[in-house]
Amino acid sequence: MKKIIFAFVLVCTFLHSDPLQAQDVLQSKDLSSVNVDYLSDADLAKIEAQLDSNRLSIEQAEPLLLSKGMSSAEYAKLKSKLAERSTSSKSGTSNKSNSEPKKDSEKEVTNSTEKENSEFWRKQVTIKNNKVKDSLNALVYGSELFDKPTLDFTPNLQLATPINYILGPGDELQVSVYGVQQYNATVPVTVEGKIAIDYVGELAVAGMSIEAATQKIKSAIAKVYSTVASGQSRVSISLSTIRTIRVTIIGAKQPGNYSISSLASVYNALHLAGGPAKNGSYRSIELLRNNKVIKIIDIYDFLVKGDQSANVGLKDNDVIRIPAYSSRVTVEGEVKRPGIFEMKKGENFVSLLSFASGFTESAYTASVNVIQKTDKEFKVKDVKANEFDSYLPQSGDLFRVTKILNRFENRIKIEGAVFRPDTYSFIEGMRVSDLVSQADGLKDDAYTKRAIIVRLKSDLTTEIVNVDLEKALSGDLDANIMLKKEDVVTVYSVLDFVEAYEVTIDGEIKKPGVYDFYQGLTLNDILVQAGGLTGSASKRVEIARMIISEEIDNTNLNKAELFNLEITPNDNEQAKNFVLSPFDVINIRKMAVYDKPEMVSVSGAVHYAGKYVLASKKAKVYDIVERAGGLTSLANLEGVKIKRPIKAKQIEEVESVNLNLGKKDSIQNKLEKKLKEDLKYAIIPIDWKSIIKDRSSSTNVTLFPGDEIEVATFNEGVKVTGNVLLTSEIPFNKGKGFGYYLNAVGGLDNKGWKKKAYIIYPNGKAAVTHSFLFVRSYPKVTPGSQIIVPEKPEVKKMSTAEYVSIGSVIASLALLIVTAFK
């Protein structure tokens, strides 16, 4: 028997789920009976198509579906099924239902109001996504309540049902009996206002509160189930599905009939309709029920006070009427919330100011300027502060709140040699001594003979008033001048009149530089300040002092007076007793002989390569090589050279030479680049054979600190590089010349410039190709040398036009010559 009852209930549930309602989910009036579990793939495909055509996602359509009666559980199922379809579609699952063309009957919207509903929801979602505010009513106070997508007053359907909720057709109750006897069923409230419970019968609950209906149902069940009456079983009644009601909104931005939850309130319905229209009132909205006005809604009560007493619940067939406003005024300037405000009869400027959230901190509050409209023209009125509570704003008034003036009514200032220079408040009758006392008195360095007052005159020009501070502070009323507002008192310091003197010390001192001069400063004092002498300092000190004279002495050509002193570490009496003067220049001389040992290095084919100290000022190459043990048996006698570092000063001198070539990428730029990147050493070729024969040979050069002697190892090869077909090293063949080695590497490439080829010998010396008449002579090739073939410079070929121009010039010259001879 239980199986038969279950099958019958299942069939009834299936039949109760209307496929058409599932298919037309966005246009349907009532979705409370939709059962998502019984929707086919075709039904789900049509729902996706409807969402796409309205440019809605399932999340964006949630408020609409719930307002039409769909339960939260069914919505969650629908969302899950659509998500599964989307996932399978992305993974390659074909959806034939989506690809099928829609029938004409499916494309039509049968009800114009439902069409408006769908369009409105699309617009609402667009506003939410793009955050687009209403441009027409943006300045009207109260419009922001309906422009904020996050503020919609939607009732929370997840909360427990209010005990005063009135049941009606479309609601569904969950009736459960648990304990010894068990029963569980979902019973809808029929259009007749009744519910049907198995074995209990029909009960009329429409118009009853959920609390009263619960007591009635429990009493009826207790008569059938004996265990309920005895307490062995208990009854639970809850509201499983909330019905959808229809309300009509007129005078809104989106007027029409709306299907909303029976828990919805007035503000929720107004938000759905976009709020009042362009000329709609925000303060006299009427709620009509059974053709009677039961509530007047003033949105300003909520905005100003947070009062939601007017936000009452709605019933089926309620009408919300938004009439046109009767009076609006504009407030601009220094208020916290400027805009357009709707005023009721009898409200004063104080009320308007509260709507605008009051004045800003910089507002001029003594009076407010208002531009009024008469029957013919505008007029201006100043509303004083004592009239704020009596002035009644008129429709069309424009209130302008200005800023306070950028000036002070009681400012006075003192600066300079006082302990607290600052701006102070001015009091009538205030004198100089009062202001000095307020600034905590004069500093020790204050100049008391004179102070000045910079005073602003009545014509806004300034004047200076001199003050004898010493007399003013001693009680002399004539000197203790009366002050005025905006006066600036300046007290001078004696340090302002003292010139800053300096002395300079340079030479063999640890901290050379410029130091402050003090009265009585001695040479010994400045030596201590500068960190003392260096180890190379001599006992000679030279001091230069400027010559001061009231008259010009043409016979004296000296620019400075010189003092020469001798100081020793053990006896500095001269330094202690020599008193310096301002701007003296002290120079500590260096010892005549104080040179730290400096070194050169030897590398390559010598017995003892390394660094060697220059013991003599005229140490030569042969001397250092001999100290390094001489050349080894593998040394190339023609491969001895010196690498001498080029100093930074030498590079700067070369860079400073301006060749006046003019071009950006000129030889000048290339030369500077070469100096900075490549030319770090100068190569000095050494003819070692000549040195062995004669020690006084000019090639036996004197060495400088940092020089590096390089002795090349004998190499039988000849390297050929540059613009040749193959860069290679060819074994030396005695008696063979330049051409032999060039041919050995395959000759020149298409850019090779043979007549400018040159050779670099092992000792760094270079030789170039020479030509006389038509005979070209090439340099001698030795073992270990390097032949380099440079690149030919690019020669720009003349164009046809250039040839024509030259031809024309030659023809003209020829004609001129012929004419001259005739």
Side-chain angles (χ1 to χ4, degrees):
M1 186 64 183
K2 289 183 178 180
K3 291 181 178 180
I4 294 172
I5 292 172
F6 176 77
F8 176 76
V9 171
L10 185 62
V11 171
C12 289
T13 305
F14 176 77
L15 293 175
H16 193 69
S17 176
D18 185 2
L20 289 177
Q21 289 181 339
Q23 294 168 13
D24 302 330
V25 64
L26 296 182
Q27 285 78 31
S28 178
K29 299 178 181 178
D30 186 7
L31 298 179
S32 59
S33 60
V34 172
N35 193 328
V36 176
D37 293 333
Y38 297 104
L39 295 179
S40 64
D41 288 341
D43 294 333
L44 293 173
K46 290 176 182 178
I47 292 174
E48 286 180 338
Q50 290 174 19
L51 291 173
D52 291 340
S53 64
N54 287 276
R55 299 180 183 178
L56 290 172
S57 65
I58 186 62
E59 292 82 5
Q60 293 166 344
E62 179 183 2
L64 176 63
L65 300 178
L66 296 179
S67 68
K68 292 189 175 186
M70 178 178 284
S71 65
S72 300
E74 294 300 320
Y75 166 75
K77 292 179 184 178
L78 179 62
K79 181 179 178 181
S80 176
K81 282 184 175 290
L82 292 178
E84 291 174 2
R85 284 179 57 79
S86 176
T87 304
S88 62
S89 175
K90 288 179 181 178
S91 62
T93 305
S94 62
N95 193 333
K96 296 181 180 179
S97 300
N98 280 347
S99 62
E100 292 177 358
K102 294 183 180 180
K103 297 178 182 179
D104 293 340
S105 59
E106 293 172 351
K107 294 180 181 178
E108 294 177 357
V109 180
T110 57
N111 188 296
S112 61
T113 304
E114 292 171 356
K115 183 176 180 181
E116 290 174 1
N117 258 354
S118 178
E119 180 67 14
F120 169 71
W121 274 100
R122 188 185 65 78
K123 290 180 179 178
Q124 290 299 309
V125 173
T126 303
I127 290 175
K128 286 186 179 182
N129 291 340
N130 300 330
K131 298 181 180 178
V132 178
K133 292 190 71 174
D134 177 24
S135 59
L136 295 176
N137 270 0
L139 295 176
V140 178
Y141 183 58
S143 62
E144 68 273 14
L145 198 62
F146 307 103
D147 288 335
K148 297 289 185 183
T150 55
L151 183 65
D152 59 4
F153 300 96
T154 303
N156 190 347
L157 303 179
Q158 306 300 322
L159 296 177
T161 307
I163 59 175
N164 59 348
Y165 178 79
I166 305 301
L167 295 173
D171 288 334
E172 286 187 3
L173 297 176
Q174 185 71 34
V175 181
S176 299
V177 178
Y178 57 93
V180 176
Q181 290 180 302
Q182 294 186 2
Y183 174 79
N184 189 26
T186 301
V187 291
V189 179
T190 64
V191 292
E192 291 83 11
K194 297 180 180 181
I195 59 171
I197 302 176
D198 295 340
Y199 310 115
V200 175
E202 291 187 342
L203 298 173
V205 294
M208 299 178 64
S209 66
I210 187 70
E211 185 180 24
T214 299
Q215 294 300 326
K216 183 175 182 179
I217 295 170
K218 284 183 178 180
S219 299
I221 291 176
K223 294 178 181 178
V224 177
Y225 292 88
S226 58
T227 56
V228 173
S230 63
Q232 294 176 310
S233 297
R234 295 191 177 184
V235 179
S236 172
I237 311 295
S238 62
L239 192 63
S240 62
T241 301
I242 298 173
R243 71 182 182 276
T244 299
I245 62 174
R246 291 179 66 82
V247 296
T248 301
I249 305 176
I250 55 179
K253 292 177 189 174
Q254 297 286 338
N257 294 329
Y258 289 86
S259 297
I260 59 178
S261 168
S262 57
L263 290 177
S265 64
V266 172
Y267 286 178
N268 178 223
L270 287 172
H271 191 274
L272 290 174
K278 179 180 178 181
N279 295 320
S281 172
Y282 286 79
R283 310 199 61 190
S284 302
I285 302 173
E286 300 174 350
L287 174 61
L288 291 89
R289 186 173 296 159
N290 298 324
N291 298 323
K292 294 182 180 179
V293 177
I294 65 166
K295 196 73 176 177
I296 300 294
I297 295 97
D298 186 348
I299 294 177
Y300 282 19
D301 288 341
F302 173 67
L303 292 173
V304 177
K305 308 172 187 175
D307 183 1
Q308 289 202 68
S309 59
N311 189 22
V312 296
L314 297 174
K315 292 188 177 182
D316 201 18
N317 296 320
D318 276 356
V319 175
I320 299 175
R321 175 181 171 271
I322 305 174
Y325 71 86
S326 58
S327 175
R328 278 183 184 175
V329 298
T330 303
V331 181
E332 61 183 33
E334 298 302 314
V335 292
K336 295 176 183 175
R337 205 285 185 194
I340 301 172
F341 300 89
E342 184 178 344
M343 303 298 294
K344 283 185 175 180
K345 188 176 181 180
E347 288 182 330
N348 55 22
F349 179 76
V350 174
S351 301
L352 176 60
L353 195 59
S354 67
F355 299 153
S357 300
F359 294 114
T360 64
E361 292 76 11
S362 59
Y364 176 66
T365 60
S367 68
V368 173
N369 180 269
V370 56
I371 298 177
Q372 299 176 330
K373 294 179 181 179
T374 65
D375 295 338
K376 296 181 180 181
E377 56 191 358
F378 293 97
K379 72 174 183 178
V380 179
K381 178 179 174 58
D382 292 325
V383 182
K384 303 298 181 182
N386 57 5
E387 300 176 328
F388 285 175
D389 55 355
S390 61
Y391 180 78
L392 301 179
Q394 304 299 313
S395 183
D397 280 359
L398 171 60
F399 293 88
R400 291 178 176 174
V401 182
T402 58
K403 286 186 177 181
I404 57 175
L405 298 177
N406 187 20
R407 54 181 291 183
F408 294 83
E409 68 175 23
N410 64 336
R411 179 176 63 175
I412 196 167
K413 188 176 182 181
I414 186 170
E415 57 189 16
V418 292
F419 284 105
R420 293 187 182 276
D422 207 341
T423 301
Y424 294 94
S425 61
F426 170 75
I427 303 172
E428 260 332 303
M430 196 174 190
R431 293 180 180 271
V432 172
S433 60
D434 300 326
L435 182 58
V436 171
S437 176
Q438 198 165 355
D440 282 353
L442 301 177
K443 288 184 177 179
D444 296 335
D445 60 332
Y447 180 66
T448 59
K449 294 297 182 183
R450 184 181 180 186
I452 64 167
I453 302 172
V454 178
R455 177 162 293 170
L456 189 67
K457 297 166 66 176
S458 58
D459 59 356
L460 299 183
T461 60
T462 56
E463 65 175 346
I464 291 179
V465 180
N466 294 315
V467 180
D468 188 333
L469 269 181
E470 189 174 9
K471 290 182 179 180
L473 298 179
S474 64
D476 188 337
L477 287 179
D478 293 333
N480 196 10
I481 298 173
M482 191 88 70
L483 297 175
K484 296 182 179 180
K485 71 173 184 177
E486 295 298 325
D487 278 355
V488 178
V489 179
T490 302
V491 179
Y492 294 108
S493 168
V494 293
L495 301 178
D496 298 335
F497 310 112
V498 177
E499 185 178 358
Y501 294 133
E502 299 170 338
V503 292
T504 304
I505 186 168
D506 201 1
E508 300 303 312
I509 195 78
K510 291 181 181 177
K511 297 178 183 179
V514 179
Y515 292 85
D516 293 332
F517 172 81
Y518 303 101
Q519 197 69 33
L521 183 70
T522 65
L523 176 60
N524 188 64
D525 297 331
I526 201 68
L527 291 176
V528 172
Q529 285 189 59
L533 305 176
T534 63
S536 60
S538 72
K539 60 183 180 180
R540 294 184 59 195
V541 178
E542 182 183 84
I543 301 171
R545 179 170 296 170
M546 68 177 183
I547 298 174
I548 303 173
S549 176
E550 291 287 347
E551 298 178 356
I552 297 175
D553 185 1
N554 293 324
T555 61
N556 186 2
L557 301 179
N558 294 330
K559 296 182 66 176
E561 186 180 0
L562 297 179
F563 300 90
N564 290 299
L565 305 177
E566 288 190 1
I567 58 174
T568 60
N570 299 325
D571 183 13
N572 277 337
E573 285 302 318
Q574 289 195 68
K576 292 178 182 178
N577 297 329
F578 189 88
V579 180
L580 297 174
S581 296
F583 306 112
D584 278 357
V585 177
I586 305 154
N587 207 313
I588 311 297
R589 300 300 180 191
K590 187 178 180 180
M591 288 184 186
V593 179
Y594 190 86
D595 293 327
K596 296 179 181 178
E598 295 175 307
M599 292 186 291
V600 295
S601 63
V602 184
S603 62
V606 294
H607 286 93
Y608 305 107
K611 293 184 178 181
Y612 291 85
V613 174
L614 291 174
S616 170
K617 292 181 180 180
K618 293 188 177 182
K620 296 191 178 287
V621 176
Y622 182 81
D623 302 332
I624 299 300
V625 172
E626 285 299 307
R627 287 169 64 185
L631 304 184
T632 65
S633 58
L634 298 177
N636 186 350
L637 298 181
E638 297 180 354
V640 181
K641 60 184 177 182
I642 298 173
K643 290 174 66 176
R644 177 163 292 170
I646 295 180
K647 297 180 180 179
K649 185 177 180 181
Q650 293 173 306
I651 296 177
E652 290 175 3
E653 289 174 352
V654 176
E655 287 179 347
S656 65
V657 177
N658 188 3
L659 301 180
N660 295 319
L661 297 174
K663 294 183 179 179
K664 183 178 180 182
D665 190 18
S666 62
I667 297 173
Q668 178 89 18
N669 293 337
K670 291 180 180 177
L671 177 61
E672 291 178 3
K673 185 177 180 181
K674 187 76 174 175
L675 287 168
K676 290 177 182 177
E677 295 180 359
D678 303 329
L679 199 58
K680 297 179 181 178
Y681 295 92
I683 304 297
I684 304 175
I686 302 298
D687 188 348
W688 189 253
K689 291 180 180 179
S690 298
I691 295 175
I692 292 174
K693 293 178 181 179
D694 184 6
R695 303 288 186 274
S696 62
S697 172
S698 60
T699 191
N700 190 18
V701 298
T702 302
L703 296 175
F704 290 168
D707 283 354
E708 182 180 345
I709 303 171
E710 286 188 356
V711 181
T713 304
F714 185 81
N715 182 7
E716 295 181 350
V718 177
K719 190 173 182 180
V720 184
T721 61
N723 288 273
V724 292
L725 292 178
L726 178 65
T727 298
S728 182
E729 189 169 336
I730 308 301
F732 175 74
N733 193 338
K734 189 175 182 180
K736 298 295 183 180
F738 227 68
Y740 168 77
Y741 295 100
L742 292 179
N743 292 332
V745 294
L748 280 62
D749 60 16
N750 58 350
K751 293 185 178 181
W753 200 5
K754 187 176 180 181
K755 68 178 182 178
K756 291 295 182 181
Y758 59 95
I759 188 169
I760 300 176
Y761 294 107
N763 65 351
K765 189 176 181 180
V768 297
T769 303
H770 296 282
S771 60
F772 179 73
L773 297 179
F774 298 103
V775 179
R776 187 175 294 124
S777 61
Y778 294 97
K780 182 181 178 181
V781 180
T782 62
S785 59
Q786 180 178 1
I787 298 172
I788 300 173
V789 181
E791 182 180 339
K792 284 182 182 179
E794 292 185 5
V795 179
K796 184 179 178 183
K797 294 182 179 180
M798 289 193 297
S799 64
T800 304
E802 288 173 331
Y803 278 116
V804 171
S805 299
I806 294 172
S808 300
V809 172
I810 293 173
S812 300
L813 289 173
L815 181 61
L816 185 61
I817 293 170
V818 171
T819 304
F821 277 108
K822 286 183 178 180

